[in-house]
């Protein structure tokens, strides 16, 4: 048969396009019934100097996943052509018009940065004392827009750290601050004869307590959300988390096992005490010494110092950068 | 600008326009955008003003026709055959011929652009393409008599 010929034209006005390579799971998302809005996030430039662990790159985010973006130059020229009528000798004809040329493509790869670590760097540590509030700190909105990770991952870490916002600044409470607040919550619930597991679904209880104790309402709400952080296992989640709080609020890196167990049990309502076993906290503790309890490396929301030191030591190029 | 949204394009869900049959079915995309890769740069003579006037009259975008593309082995009556993909010809002007083929992209590509009429940084995915036409050879010279006329 006679093959069709298509006039090939170059548009005078070149459009600006970016070519984005799609991993299979992203392709599936975008071609689904309800494709999501993606986000490109990059770290704000004014933060670059302060950050030690985050490189200044751009990431592409779905609701719950983050991809690192890498720009790859192409040696050939890639034309984006549009099927459009092209003028020929005898009037308009179906043809192809190159409307853009792309010198590079964007490749996506799995995100290698630690969302928790990045978030922690943007939060102000709050030890429960009103006077430590500084002028530093960013709003929750700013952090979500500037932290190079998906909103889902940030929300997850935000809840895990009991982060809260007061007056456009975001804080992460220290373990001691949580410990004191928890004691107040526990006492108030007992005084009212209420089950803590039931109280967790009652924001008004926490609001009232915040007022009585002179604590930020957002802080107690963050604790309430931490209790229901994982669906279903409220008592187990909270019991395990309180072990982290006890460990985190002790000054050393390890704690005598008897002291630890006593403080942990003190925090729990009678019904929960049977849950508080060493097995429960195995995932984040080092129990190799039978007389003590210590953090497993970079295990928790509070074990900040060791994990940070370990990660910055491994990044030799950043040490070079500092030395320059 | 720290955070830029990329909207999925509404056109991605629009069914193929059956009247637009200029490209083989495989290369057709909902919004009519496709990828062509050249191991060459196309230089066009300086634009003539008359050009722009002409196209403004017939409603097309200002453009310069540089050649002709053809799929010599493609038969629209057997769209499922793939043998035609091995041969694509692009004549540039009257004296140069590029020989190429249609290749499936290892990964689908999203064509992302700034959203029409948007003043903010909002981007949109204009198209998702799965195939490209590749001309990986340098242009070959051809005589006047061989090249088809536009």
């Amino acid at each position: 048969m006679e093959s069709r010929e298509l006039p090939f034209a170059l548009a005078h006005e070149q459009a600006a396009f970016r070519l984005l390579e799609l991993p299979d799971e992203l392709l599936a998302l975008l071609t689904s019934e309800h494709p999501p809005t993606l986000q490109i996030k990059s770290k704000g430039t004014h933060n670059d100097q302060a950050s030690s662990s985050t490189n200044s790159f751009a990431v592409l985010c779905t609701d719950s996943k983050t991809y690192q973006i890498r720009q790859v130059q192409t040696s050939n020229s890639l034309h984006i052509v549009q099927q459009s009528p092209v003028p020929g000798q005898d009037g308009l004809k179906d043809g192809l018009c190159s409307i853009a040329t792309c010198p590079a493509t964007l490749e996506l790869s799995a995100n290698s940065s630690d969302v928790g670590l990045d978030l922690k760097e943007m939060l102000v540590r709050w030890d429960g004392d009103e006077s430590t509030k500084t002028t530093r700190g960013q709003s929750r909105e700013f952090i979500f827009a500037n932290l190079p990770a998906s909103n889902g991952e940030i929300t997850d870490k935000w809840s895990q750290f009991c982060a809260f916002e007061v007056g456009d600044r975001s804080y992460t409470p220290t373990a001691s601050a949580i410990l004191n607040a928890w004691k107040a919550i526990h006492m108030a619930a007992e005084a009212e004869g209420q089950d803590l597991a039931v109280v967790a679904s009652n924001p008004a209880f926490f609001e009232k307590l915040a007022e009585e104790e002179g604590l930020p309402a957002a802080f107690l709400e963050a604790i309430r959300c931490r209790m229901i952080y994982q669906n279903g296992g409220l008592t187990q989640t909270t019991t395990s988390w309180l072990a982290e709080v006890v460990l985190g609020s002790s000054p050393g890196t390890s704690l005598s096992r008897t002291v630890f167990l006593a403080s942990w049990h003190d925090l729990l309502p009678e019904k929960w005490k049977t849950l508080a076993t060493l097995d429960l906290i195995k995932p984040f503790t080092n129990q190799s010494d039978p007389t003590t309890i210590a953090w497993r490396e970079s295990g928790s929301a509070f074990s900040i110092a060791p994990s940070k030191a370990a990660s910055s030591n491994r990044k030799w190029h950043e040490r070079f950068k500092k030395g320059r | 600008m720290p955070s830029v949204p990329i909207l999925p394009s509404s056109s991605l869900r629009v069914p193929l326009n059956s009247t637009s049959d200029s490209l083989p079915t495989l290369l057709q995309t909902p919004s009519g955008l496709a990828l062509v890769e050249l191991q060459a740069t196309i230089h066009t003579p300086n634009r003539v003003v008359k050009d722009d006037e002409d196209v403004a009259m017939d409603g097309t975008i200002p453009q310069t026709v540089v050649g002709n593309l053809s799929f010599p082995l493609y038969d629209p009556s057997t769209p499922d055959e793939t043998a035609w993909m091995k041969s694509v010809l692009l004549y540039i002007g009257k004296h140069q011929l590029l020989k190429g083929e249609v290749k499936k992209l290892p990964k689908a590509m999203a064509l992302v652009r700034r959203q029409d009429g948007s003043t903010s940084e909002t981007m949109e995915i204009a198209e998702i393409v799965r195939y490209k036409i590749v001309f990986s050879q340098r242009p070959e010279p051809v005589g006047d008599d061989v090249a088809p006329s536009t």
Side-chain angles (χ1 to χ4, degrees), chain A residues 6 12 20 38 76 79 83, chain B residues 4 6 20 36 39 64 69 110:
Chain A
L6 297 168
H12 296 164
L20 179 68
L38 305 176
N76 296 343
H79 290 262
Q83 297 170 50
Chain B
V4 179
I6 305 180
S20 159
V36 174
Q39 156 79 340
T64 304
L69 186 75

Side-chain angles (χ1 to χ4, degrees), chain A residues 259-324:
Chain A
V259 172
F260 167 78
L261 284 173
S263 332
W264 188 20
H265 281 235
D266 265 359
L267 297 177
L268 304 171
E270 281 308 320
K271 274 202 270 183
W272 297 11
K273 285 186 179 163
T274 50
L275 283 171
T277 60
L278 291 173
D279 271 350
L280 180 68
I281 57 172
K282 238 179 199 144
F284 57 87
T285 53
N286 179 349
Q287 305 176 4
S288 55
D289 180 345
T291 62
T292 63
I293 288 279
W295 287 117
R296 187 166 286 219
E297 193 193 340
S298 72
S300 115
F302 306 111
S303 54
I304 299 168
S307 74
K308 204 171 168 183
S311 77
S312 62
N313 278 346
R314 277 198 301 273
K315 292 192 174 166
W316 55 271
H317 53 279
E318 277 171 9
R319 277 189 291 155
F320 269 113
K321 205 162 83 183
K322 276 182 199 148
R324 243 186 265 152

Side-chain angles (χ1 to χ4, degrees), chain A:
Chain A
M1 65 160 266
E2 183 69 16
S3 78
R4 298 266 319 264
E5 277 166 16
L6 297 168
F8 188 81
L10 296 185
H12 296 164
E13 292 279 338
Q14 291 276 293
F17 273 92
R18 293 289 198 159
L19 292 176
L20 179 68
E21 243 187 45
L22 299 174
D24 290 342
E25 49 180 353
L26 197 53
L27 177 66
L29 260 186
L30 289 174
T31 50
S32 66
E33 186 90 11
H34 302 286
T37 295
L38 305 176
Q39 274 188 309
I40 289 186
K41 290 188 183 184
S42 56
K43 210 146 166 146
T45 44
H46 57 282
N47 263 342
D48 281 357
Q49 285 192 322
S51 83
S52 61
S53 70
T54 315
N55 319 317
S56 46
F57 50 71
V59 294
L60 182 87
C61 306
T62 65
D63 289 341
S64 59
K65 208 172 161 171
T66 308
Y67 300 91
Q68 256 175 56
I69 302 177
R70 198 162 67 98
Q71 179 152 316
V72 181
Q73 302 291 324
T74 53
S75 54
N76 296 343
S77 42
L78 270 171
H79 290 262
I80 294 175
V81 298
Q82 188 170 39
Q83 297 170 50
S84 70
V86 168
Q89 277 168 349
D90 26 78
L92 287 179
K93 202 179 160 186
D94 263 357
L96 291 176
C97 180
S98 164
I99 56 168
T101 317
C102 298
T105 58
L106 302 175
E107 283 185 8
L108 300 179
S109 57
N111 187 28
S112 63
S113 78
D114 183 333
V115 181
L117 213 58
D118 290 346
L119 175 61
K120 224 174 272 177
E121 280 185 2
M122 297 178 88
L123 296 169
V124 178
R125 273 165 68 80
W126 184 75
D127 65 4
D129 180 358
E130 197 75 26
S131 66
T132 60
K133 284 193 181 171
T134 60
T135 49
R136 292 191 308 122
Q138 310 288 0
S139 69
R140 187 179 195 273
E141 192 189 352
F142 178 93
I143 290 176
F144 272 69
N146 284 272
L147 205 161
S150 70
N151 289 351
E153 288 162 294
I154 305 174
T155 305
D156 186 54
K157 291 292 173 194
W158 180 278
S159 319
Q160 200 191 334
F161 296 166
C162 292
F164 64 98
E165 184 189 38
V166 176
D168 276 352
R169 306 200 188 287
S170 304
Y171 301 90
T172 173
T174 60
S176 316
I178 295 174
L179 193 72
N180 292 333
W182 178 262
K183 284 176 182 163
I185 293 166
H186 188 190
M187 262 173 57
E190 256 182 9
E192 292 185 22
Q194 292 211 46
D195 189 335
L196 271 169
V198 178
V199 162
S201 50
N202 180 10
F205 174 89
F206 289 81
E207 236 169 82
K208 186 167 148 256
L209 186 67
E211 208 168 290
E212 287 167 7
E213 297 284 323
L215 289 165
F219 168 47
L220 286 197
E221 175 62 14
I223 292 186
R224 189 186 75 80
C225 292
R226 184 63 178 77
M227 291 173 75
I228 51 175
Y229 170 57
Q230 270 160 343
N231 288 338
L234 180 145
T235 49
Q236 186 164 323
T237 307
T238 311
T239 303
S240 163
W241 168 57
L242 287 169
E244 293 183 47
V245 172
V246 172
L247 260 182
S249 59
S250 76
T253 49
S254 70
L255 200 58
S256 141
R257 196 168 282 200
T258 25
V259 172
F260 167 78
L261 284 173
S263 332
W264 188 20
H265 281 235
D266 265 359
L267 297 177
L268 304 171
E270 281 308 320
K271 274 202 270 183
W272 297 11
K273 285 186 179 163
T274 50
L275 283 171
T277 60
L278 291 173
D279 271 350
L280 180 68
I281 57 172
K282 238 179 199 144
F284 57 87
T285 53
N286 179 349
Q287 305 176 4
S288 55
D289 180 345
T291 62
T292 63
I293 288 279
W295 287 117
R296 187 166 286 219
E297 193 193 340
S298 72
S300 115
F302 306 111
S303 54
I304 299 168
S307 74
K308 204 171 168 183
S311 77
S312 62
N313 278 346
R314 277 198 301 273
K315 292 192 174 166
W316 55 271
H317 53 279
E318 277 171 9
R319 277 189 291 155
F320 269 113
K321 205 162 83 183
K322 276 182 199 148
R324 243 186 265 152

